[in-house]
Amino acid sequence: MPRRYVIVGNGPAGAAAAQAIRARDAGSEITIVGDEKASFYSRPGLAYLLAGSIPEGQLFSRPDEGNRRLGIRRVVARMERLEATEHRARLGDGRSLAYDRLLLAVGARALRPDVPGMDLEGVVTLDNLEDARRILRLARRARRAAVVGGGITALELAEGLAAQGVETHYLMRKDRYWGNVLEPEESSVVEARLEDEGVRLHHEVELKRVLNGRGRVSAVELSGGRRLTCDLLGVAIGIQPRLELAERSGLATKRGILTDEFFRTSHPDIYAAGDVAEVLDPASGQRVLDSLWSVAIEQGRAAGANMAGAGEPYRRPVSFNVTRIGGVTTTLIGAVGSGRADEDLVSLSRGDSQSWRDRAEAFALVSEAGLSRVRVLVGKERIVGAVVMGDQSLSRPLQDLIRGRVDIRAARERLLGAADDLPVTLTAIWKEAVGVAAG
Amino acid sequence: MIGKLLRMDSQRRRAMTTAYVVAEPIRCVECGICNFNCPLGIDVRGHARLGQPVADRYCLTCGECVARCPRGTLRLESSRVFDPAPKEGKG
């Protein structure tokens, strides 16, 4: 009998897993179950939908036809419960699916701050396409919006609302944007660009409550008793893995669903990957959470391959993400943080990695030219992290050097003495390293 | 003046015929801004997410997709096809 695979979740991890299973197990039955009607779409692309850079139809990057050609079935339903010992998945509509192996790739959802008024109409988060549609609908009528939170999603909300013509106020608890990952100069670049886009910045203010005007947001009350009249409140203080299904089904969870290095949960035929999974990294012995598109695809691929019998342990890559913050293309690689907490984020946010907050034992080198800025963190043996803002030509060399864990001891003195010609020196070291690797 | 314009035009044509669009797939989040801005409707994203060069014979290498990608996924890379062949005994 062909093996039956069920994948819960139609995001990047689920889609990548289905393809990886099909590549290894041609005759199996593969079913993707998800509660969203929409076919696979680019979640990071929602920011560009809000900004008006693309119409909604562009987001659907992998139409259902592709799945059908591969014999992958998609079912729109809520997953109610897993009966692990019977190998049966119960759907919310009363149906059930028998499986041999099942993957949980259900992602994460936005957290809301614990203040009164969070349930009012006009409080929005940006988790999925439905949220983006709601924000666009509300923005048509809104005159003024407030946004709270930190990291990438808060800016996507603020910039998106401003682009929709809403007077937007971004409220930060600290004295600058994303203070535990960015240096003060980098925060300044982003904040200056936000102001150019018409976003009004407020530092060192805290949201105390949301005021109710006939069931809708009418204003927010801030620390010190100040009020800001607004019709919309965007919230991006962090995300929470969707654990309910795993908990109802008796699987072991902590911050996420716990898995071993093969993505197996506490039940050997149930796997987990992507934003929901807290995966054992064999190199560090720690379990880690990431919320990155590329990591979700890689984890989904590896989990799918393992479900089909590959036996590939997870090798956590050096964290990497590219984003546009304040209109500046920014690449973050490896350990770049200050090691401090960020009060604007109570947990990991989307497009975020635990490792960016880590303080690197490294020497920081900076090169600036116009609006572009590169910060390189040089450790004893390796370059451990980098932030590349604006001009991206050093991004690839740095990515190769950091992700490839290239030993730079022989070139370290030259690098530390590079001062004004850091880009030239880095490129030369990269070419030598690539040459050595190729030869 | 006309000579200068013709020279610029010929340089531009040379750049367009000797380059092609290549992608760094790890940067791609499949947002579709490249497809939306391609004047010829080429599925640039389909190439980008798989890390394949845009080997579409209709591609003008106009650079719209390269310039618009918010994540720096795409770049124009020169093709060696039109370079003079290396002399024998060298390279």
Side-chain angles (χ1 to χ4, degrees):
Chain A
M1 199 172 81
R3 205 180 245 180
R4 296 157 302 178
Y5 296 93
V6 170
I7 291 163
V8 192
N10 193 28
Q19 292 196 353
I21 293 169
R22 179 53 79 230
R24 287 192 151 257
D25 192 346
S28 56
E29 285 175 16
I30 306 173
T31 308
I32 299 177
V33 182
D35 50 11
E36 283 187 86
K37 272 198 193 119
S39 65
F40 183 91
Y41 61 90
S42 167
R43 274 158 217 269
L46 296 174
Y48 311 128
L49 175 64
L50 291 186
S53 308
I54 37 168
E56 187 186 296
Q58 281 297 332
L59 294 173
F60 299 99
S61 57
R62 306 188 197 186
D64 281 341
E65 291 94 82
N67 275 343
R68 279 198 286 273
R69 271 202 304 278
L70 290 171
I72 297 166
R73 188 163 70 111
R74 188 165 78 87
V75 173
V76 179
R78 197 171 63 83
M79 185 61 79
E80 184 67 39
R81 195 173 72 251
L82 307 177
E83 289 165 2
T85 40
E86 289 82 33
H87 287 74
R88 187 157 282 279
R90 300 265 172 209
L91 307 187
D93 58 14
R95 285 182 289 175
S96 75
L97 292 168
Y99 65 85
D100 298 299
R101 300 265 158 88
L102 181 139
L103 176 71
L104 288 170
V106 292
R109 74 164 62 82
L111 284 165
R112 292 180 176 228
D114 188 17
V115 301
M118 273 297 131
D119 52 344
L120 292 171
E121 161 102 357
V123 177
V124 294
T125 54
L126 183 58
D127 274 344
N128 52 38
L129 183 57
E130 274 307 312
D131 288 342
R133 286 174 177 159
R134 185 178 310 117
I135 292 167
L136 288 172
R137 205 167 52 236
L138 290 168
R140 279 204 289 272
R141 293 196 305 263
R143 293 175 59 191
R144 192 188 272 169
V147 174
V148 293
I152 294 167
T153 310
L155 282 205
E156 290 175 344
L157 282 168
E159 293 184 275
L161 288 164
Q164 294 300 322
V166 182
E167 181 189 310
T168 303
H169 295 252
Y170 179 30
L171 316 174
M172 285 170 268
R173 291 169 78 157
K174 295 291 282 184
D175 55 347
R176 63 187 178 88
Y177 171 66
W178 215 5
N180 64 342
V181 171
L182 301 182
E183 293 273 284
E185 296 78 7
E186 292 157 358
S187 298
S188 304
V189 170
V190 176
E191 291 188 9
R193 293 291 296 260
L194 283 174
E195 283 179 325
D196 286 347
E197 291 173 12
V199 177
R200 301 179 192 202
L201 308 178
H202 303 255
H203 297 104
E204 295 171 339
V205 288
E206 203 171 322
L207 175 71
K208 290 295 181 192
R209 65 189 177 113
V210 188
L211 301 175
N212 183 341
R214 296 183 192 159
R216 303 173 51 86
V217 174
S218 63
V220 286
E221 189 177 302
L222 309 174
S223 41
R226 213 180 112 206
R227 283 185 182 185
L228 179 73
T229 308
C230 59
D231 328 275
L232 253 175
L233 172 66
V235 172
I237 60 161
I239 52 166
Q240 160 79 53
R242 293 173 188 268
L243 296 178
E244 300 81 359
L245 176 61
E247 285 169 350
R248 277 201 301 273
S249 309
L251 301 176
T253 60
K254 271 191 183 158
R255 292 177 303 160
I257 302 174
L258 299 181
T259 84
D260 65 10
E261 68 270 43
F262 299 100
F263 301 94
R264 285 181 302 215
T265 65
S266 55
H267 191 281
D269 290 325
I270 300 178
Y271 293 66
D275 285 5
V276 77
E278 197 176 338
V279 183
L280 180 68
D281 170 24
S284 65
Q286 310 271 314
R287 283 203 168 91
V288 285
L289 280 172
D290 281 302
S291 178
L292 294 167
W293 179 266
S294 60
V295 170
I297 289 181
E298 185 44 40
Q299 287 192 357
R301 193 205 57 74
N306 283 331
M307 289 164 76
E312 278 178 24
Y314 182 48
R315 293 182 58 185
R316 184 175 188 238
V318 172
S319 300
F320 170 91
N321 193 22
V322 193
T323 182
R324 196 162 59 174
I325 42 178
V328 187
T329 300
T330 302
T331 303
L332 299 155
I333 318 170
V336 295
S338 62
R340 292 192 304 268
D342 182 345
E343 291 177 23
D344 286 314
L345 285 170
V346 298
S347 72
L348 207 62
S349 72
R350 248 174 246 292
D352 194 353
S353 169
Q354 239 176 282
S355 54
W356 288 335
R357 292 124 193 273
D358 297 344
R359 187 187 166 81
E361 287 300 323
F363 195 82
L365 298 175
V366 172
S367 166
E368 282 176 298
L371 285 173
S372 298
R373 190 176 200 275
V374 180
R375 171 158 58 101
V376 182
L377 293 139
V378 185
K380 285 205 177 83
E381 296 174 5
R382 298 181 290 116
I383 299 176
V384 295
V387 178
V388 184
M389 301 180 85
D391 183 344
Q392 294 293 306
S393 43
L394 280 179
S395 171
R396 218 167 124 234
L398 282 165
Q399 193 186 317
D400 285 349
L401 291 169
I402 300 168
R403 289 172 66 96
R405 300 176 199 273
V406 171
D407 187 332
I408 54 133
R409 275 176 293 184
R412 193 168 183 271
E413 287 305 312
R414 188 161 38 121
L415 191 58
L416 292 180
D420 291 343
D421 60 351
L422 178 66
V424 178
T425 311
L426 261 176
T427 309
I429 292 170
W430 170 60
K431 283 187 175 158
E432 286 158 25
V434 171
V436 169
Chain B
M1 182 70 186
I2 289 176
K4 196 179 168 193
L5 278 175
L6 284 175
R7 252 196 324 278
M8 274 173 60
D9 191 50
S10 115
Q11 276 173 354
R12 187 165 161 266
R13 274 168 196 277
R14 186 170 167 75
M16 285 169 73
T17 50
T18 60
Y20 59 107
V21 176
V22 295
E24 209 182 321
I26 191 172
R27 301 173 83 93
C28 178
V29 289
E30 305 178 31
C31 68
I33 286 182
C34 50
N35 283 17
F36 184 57
N37 288 288
C38 176
L40 295 174
I42 295 169
D43 181 20
V44 181
R45 165 170 60 193
H47 292 82
R49 78 175 176 89
L50 300 172
Q52 294 165 348
V54 180
D56 188 298
R57 67 197 174 95
Y58 293 108
C59 177
L60 296 169
T61 56
C62 65
E64 277 295 312
C65 57
V66 176
R68 308 262 187 156
C69 173
R71 302 192 177 225
T73 305
L74 304 164
R75 64 179 192 281
L76 281 166
E77 195 159 89
S78 14
S79 154
R80 298 264 161 246
V81 175
F82 298 96
D83 284 2
K87 286 177 186 159
E88 262 182 64
K90 288 191 178 176

